[in-house]
């Protein structure tokens, strides 16, 4: 047994589901479910509660899925989801998909994706990201990937915890500057988010690609 592993439960009350995630006490940035993922997953739930057809049969991709919390939540609301991460991170991602498969109303596929590389696919209805802005050296590639996966009809939802280090502040500014070249960006106010799963330290963005 992996003594570094432990489980975390996450409730989606609207569909009477408790998602279960195998986390690791030690590891890289993808070893736990981050707060920004919980905020975005619960925001999806608020959208579902407003209209339970919001995600039904929609094509959804999550970038930098980590343990898959956001994408699996979308699948519980009926979306057909591609969970993506680096090839070396897929085994733990697949483990969490298998753990939660009984509750999923939509299809889920795990796919290796390195940002900046070509990803052959039809356009997506939703592109989801939670706490992906860490490393400045991959920001340009990430924005390139987002741009390739979206059309002006795609809803891009980004949840990001703002951290106080100069490196993280500068990385976020760099990302936002590049994103604004291609997307119209609006911020989801806290009062429109889940009443418990929201925070002034976590930004939630709803973006649409600019028409050429």
């Amino acid at each position: 047994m992996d003594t570094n592993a432990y489980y975390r439960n996450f409730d989606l009350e609207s569909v009477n589901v408790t998602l279960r995630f195998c986390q690791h006490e030690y590891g890289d940035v993808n070893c736990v479910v981050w707060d920004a993922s919980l905020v975005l997953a619960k925001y999806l739930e608020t959208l579902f509660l407003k209209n339970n057809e919001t995600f039904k049969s929609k094509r959804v991709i999550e970038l930098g899925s980590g343990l898959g919390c956001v994408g699996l939540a979308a699948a519980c609301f009926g979306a057909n989801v591609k969970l993506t991460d680096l090839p070396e991170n897929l085994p733990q991602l697949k483990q969490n998909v298998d753990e939660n498969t009984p509750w999923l109303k939509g299809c889920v596929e795990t796919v290796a994706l390195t940002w900046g590389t070509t990803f052959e696919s039809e356009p997506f209805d939703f592109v989801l990201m939670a706490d992906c802005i860490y490393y400045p050296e991959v920001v340009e590639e990430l924005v390139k990937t987002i741009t390739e996966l979206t059309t002006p009809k795609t809803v891009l939802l980004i949840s990001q915890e703002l951290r106080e280090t100069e490196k993280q502040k500068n990385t976020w500014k760099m990302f936002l500057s590049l994103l604004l070249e291609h997307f119209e960006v609006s911020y989801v106010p806290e009062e429109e988010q889940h009443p418990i799963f929201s925070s002034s330290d976590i930004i939630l963005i709803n973006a649409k690609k600019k028409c050429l």
Side-chain angles (χ1 to χ4, degrees):
M1 180 180 176
D2 185 355
T3 56
N4 184 29
Y6 63 101
Y7 279 89
R8 177 171 188 171
N9 292 338
F10 180 55
D11 294 325
L12 299 172
E13 292 89 348
S14 61
V15 286
N16 196 28
V17 164
T18 297
L19 294 174
R20 194 164 183 256
F21 297 99
C22 180
Q23 303 190 133
H24 290 83
E25 192 171 354
Y26 309 106
D28 204 350
V29 293
N30 62 315
C31 68
V32 298
V33 178
W34 294 98
D35 290 344
S37 295
L38 302 179
V39 167
L40 182 49
K42 279 294 185 177
Y43 180 63
L44 300 185
E45 187 170 39
T46 66
L47 297 178
F48 173 77
L49 284 168
K50 289 178 183 175
N51 178 1
N52 61 18
E53 298 288 309
T54 299
F55 300 103
K56 186 177 180 181
S57 301
K58 294 295 195 298
R59 289 174 48 79
V60 174
I61 186 167
E62 184 185 2
L63 302 180
S65 297
L67 302 186
C69 176
V70 176
L72 287 170
C76 287
F77 303 136
N80 296 320
V81 181
K82 290 188 186 298
L83 299 174
T84 68
D85 213 309
L86 293 171
E88 60 268 28
N89 296 336
L90 288 192
Q92 66 174 5
L93 183 54
K94 289 178 179 177
Q95 177 184 355
N96 283 298
V97 171
D98 291 344
E99 185 77 39
N100 293 289
T101 293
W103 328 122
L104 306 180
K105 292 185 172 64
C107 300
V108 173
E109 181 183 1
T110 57
V111 183
L113 174 60
T114 302
W115 298 335
T117 61
T118 301
F119 186 79
E120 298 294 339
S121 175
E122 297 176 17
F124 289 93
D125 299 299
F126 290 86
V127 174
L128 309 175
M129 285 172 43
D131 241 352
C132 287
I133 318 303
Y134 285 104
Y135 304 119
E137 58 270 20
V138 297
V139 164
E140 201 168 321
E141 287 81 2
L142 173 56
V143 174
K144 178 177 183 287
T145 293
I146 294 169
T147 305
E148 289 180 350
L149 294 175
T150 51
T151 73
K153 294 182 178 180
T154 305
V155 178
L156 171 62
L157 296 175
I158 301 171
S159 178
Q160 180 70 29
E161 183 171 350
L162 299 183
R163 295 171 174 86
E164 288 303 313
T165 67
E166 283 305 309
K167 178 182 177 182
Q168 288 302 315
K169 287 179 181 178
N170 292 335
T171 303
W172 175 250
K173 287 179 184 176
M174 182 195 313
F175 170 76
L176 201 55
S177 176
L178 290 171
L179 189 71
L180 285 167
E181 292 179 12
H182 306 280
F183 290 83
E184 300 286 349
V185 170
S186 61
Y187 294 85
V188 181
E190 280 189 59
E191 57 267 24
E192 293 181 15
Q193 301 175 40
H194 191 276
I196 297 173
F197 290 87
S198 60
S199 168
S200 58
D201 295 328
I202 296 176
I203 285 181
L204 193 54
I205 284 175
N206 184 325
K208 286 290 187 75
K209 195 174 189 179
K210 296 175 181 177
C211 295
L212 297 177

